[in-house]
Amino acid sequence: MTNIIIAAGIALIFVGVGTPVWIRIVNRLGYGQMIRDEGPEAHLNKRGTPTMGGTVFIVGSLVGYAAAHLFTGEVPTISGILVLFLMTGLGLVGFVDDYIKVFKQRSLGLRSGAKMIGIVLVGVVFAVGSLNFPNGYDVTPADPHLSFLRDFGPSIGPYLFVVWALLLIAAMSNGVNLTDGLDGLAAGPAGMVLAAYVIIGNWQLRNSCAAALAPNCYSVRDPLDLAVVAAAVLGGVFGFLWWNAPPAKIFMGDTGSLALGGVLVGLAILTRTQFLLAILCGLIVMITLSVIIQVGGFKMTGKRVFKMAPLQHHFELSGWAETTIVVRFWLMSALFVAIGIGLFYLEWMPKK
């Protein structure tokens, strides 16, 4: 537990103190957020708000993780390094996207094709790496299986697994990006899911097959270090949320949203909880589905299902205040996380 507390605490302090410094730097450089003209009119007054705030909590998370291992003397694991690589790599793709937006003063950054190439390159390295590096018990960070509470069914093979991992990475990173449409709307739910993975990692450690081949034990390579990663990013996100809560002093940008999507998928794959992630991230899934429904419905019928997509903008145009939407969506996210944690523990409930 010591390394979890240190990782979260150091990251929280680093980001809480470092974010206002980053705000001053971005303001001095003139790197303000560009706002789409077709978005809600209420967002136009946010034009010029400092962006690329995800840079701070990515660095803060890395510092928190490193500090935890430095103070405890424990060696970083390949599982932790892989998840942090996925987070940082996708964050770099998002940073380039954000930089193009602010440098060229337009609402569109990287072309979708170039952005997807960056995501795929980072994702392939993560997925291939996760199938290698077995420990003394011949357990690799990931396994070519689908998973819910643990791996299930027959192996899908390494090639299909890499494709599956890429689909998860692309879907979740873009889902968090769609969710990041209001002040604090993405950071709050992401923090809740990260907290869930701190709990999951601890529980898997205490019931690891490496300790005892008991019923329902978990064959997860490095559950404790995955909990440390989740705690470090959680601390960073909470420190950032202090400045990102309505009214936001800074936006995370694609730098932050792609990075958060990456770390959530990385944790899900390496803790063998891929489908459980869809429940824990129920709010993000719901917002993503609203875009799919809106686009698909318009193409088929020529009519819009929602006043505007993603879903949060529908409620904005329905007259809800931004803070009301954010708080209510946070409550929904908390409910999804509670359901997910409940399902995770369900198989441990006494059976009559």
Side-chain angles (χ1 to χ4, degrees):
M1 282 295 292
T2 303
N3 46 4
I4 290 175
I5 294 171
I6 292 174
I10 295 295
L12 175 64
I13 294 170
F14 182 95
V15 179
V17 174
T19 301
V21 176
W22 180 253
I23 290 173
R24 288 195 291 272
I25 293 172
V26 172
N27 276 329
R28 190 175 298 116
L29 295 174
Y31 291 168
Q33 178 70 34
M34 298 301 299
I35 304 296
R36 292 182 304 149
D37 293 332
E38 62 270 22
E41 290 185 10
H43 288 204
L44 295 178
N45 61 3
K46 298 183 180 184
R47 189 187 300 272
T49 301
T51 188
M52 295 188 284
T55 306
V56 188
F57 69 70
I58 291 172
V59 175
S61 300
L62 297 175
V63 170
Y65 177 82
H69 286 278
L70 181 64
F71 285 123
T72 61
E74 296 183 5
V75 179
T77 67
I78 188 62
S79 297
I81 292 170
L82 281 170
V83 175
L84 292 174
F85 165 79
L86 183 59
M87 176 188 73
T88 307
L90 293 184
L92 181 60
V93 174
F95 184 88
V96 173
D97 186 53
D98 287 333
Y99 183 80
I100 291 173
K101 291 176 185 176
V102 298
F103 184 75
K104 295 192 174 182
Q105 289 295 290
R106 66 188 194 192
S107 59
L108 296 176
L110 278 173
R111 294 184 182 276
S112 57
K115 193 173 183 179
M116 187 54 64
I117 289 172
I119 292 173
V120 167
L121 289 175
V122 175
V124 166
V125 174
F126 167 81
V128 172
S130 70
L131 295 177
N132 291 281
F133 306 104
N135 62 7
Y137 298 95
D138 202 32
V139 178
T140 52
D143 198 70
H145 286 78
L146 302 179
S147 62
F148 180 45
L149 305 179
R150 60 184 73 247
D151 289 339
F152 66 84
S155 170
I156 61 175
Y159 298 109
L160 276 179
F161 176 81
V162 170
V163 174
W164 170 242
L166 289 176
L167 288 174
L168 291 178
I169 291 167
M172 186 54 63
S173 58
N174 282 287
V176 177
N177 187 248
L178 291 172
T179 304
D180 185 34
L182 299 179
D183 298 353
L185 185 56
M192 297 177 199
V193 178
L194 288 165
Y197 274 110
V198 174
I199 296 170
I200 288 171
N202 266 290
W203 186 256
Q204 290 178 333
L205 172 69
R206 297 175 188 278
N207 297 278
S208 172
C209 295
L213 291 173
N216 295 333
C217 68
Y218 298 98
S219 295
V220 175
R221 190 189 190 284
D222 306 297
L224 177 59
D225 208 38
L226 292 173
V228 173
V229 170
V233 184
L234 173 62
V237 168
F238 271 21
F240 175 75
L241 188 56
W242 180 268
W243 304 99
N244 182 237
K249 300 292 189 297
I250 188 170
F251 299 142
M252 69 171 66
D254 282 18
T255 307
S257 59
L258 295 187
L260 282 180
V263 75
L264 294 177
V265 171
L267 289 169
I269 291 175
L270 300 196
T271 58
R272 319 295 174 92
T273 55
Q274 297 159 18
F275 286 109
L276 183 64
L277 181 67
I279 298 173
L280 294 170
C281 294
L283 176 68
I284 296 170
V285 171
M286 188 173 66
I287 288 173
T288 304
L289 286 175
S290 73
V291 175
I292 296 172
I293 292 170
Q294 182 83 326
V295 174
F298 187 78
K299 286 184 176 180
M300 287 188 293
T301 66
K303 296 181 180 180
R304 291 180 172 82
V305 177
F306 305 104
K307 294 180 179 179
M308 183 177 287
L311 188 60
Q312 61 268 28
H313 298 325
H314 168 81
F315 290 106
E316 273 192 289
L317 296 182
S318 297
W320 289 25
E322 180 174 358
T323 305
T324 301
I325 298 170
V326 170
V327 172
R328 287 178 177 173
F329 275 36
W330 281 0
L331 292 174
M332 292 173 63
S333 180
L335 179 60
F336 280 120
V337 170
I339 293 171
I341 289 293
L343 288 172
F344 181 76
Y345 282 122
L346 190 61
E347 65 178 352
W348 292 89
M349 297 293 290
K351 299 178 177 63
K352 294 183 179 180

